[in-house]
Amino acid sequence: LLKKDCLDNLGIPFTVRSGTVKKLSVVWSENGPVQIHVDTIFVVLQSSNARQVTAEQLRAAEQKAKSALLENWEAQLDSSFSAAAAALGDVAPEHEDADKKNSSLYSAILDKLEVSITGVTFCYYDTASKHTLGASIDA
């Protein structure tokens, strides 16, 4: 099942009403790429309507957005402090090494990642008119 809030951070006027992945497989080998195969994603979308959002949901969404913004600012401050400390020659070697290791690990994983999707079906459900429109993409 797809999470109903998986599109919230994209800023599009749709929410996921329901969604499923028919089959997901991951092939991991030591020397080859990490392959993720997704067979048929089915998603039913509906328009985001402010009237359908409760006050508690709105507060939770605001809190989530604020937390994401604070985390982003903290990351920017950390990198600014690291850069300033490096310029002054005050960088703690273990902190710098940990950052380099994490960065190289993420790069290594992303460099070896292959994702294939064999089919996607989208349905849009209009809550006001009760009409449905669909599209399917097969590979």
Side-chain angles (χ1 to χ4, degrees), residues 3-16 46 48 53 57 60-61 64-65:
K3 290 177 130 184
K4 294 194 180 215
D5 64 349
C6 67
L7 300 177
D8 288 354
N9 293 334
L10 298 178
I12 58 175
F14 303 108
T15 58
V16 175
Q46 69 181 27
S48 298
V53 177
Q57 289 172 325
K64 186 176 179 181

Side-chain angles (χ1 to χ4, degrees), residues 16-30:
V16 175
R17 185 177 177 130
S18 66
T20 59
V21 173
K22 182 178 176 183
K23 183 179 177 184
L24 175 70
S25 61
V26 178
V27 178
W28 185 286
S29 65
E30 287 185 35

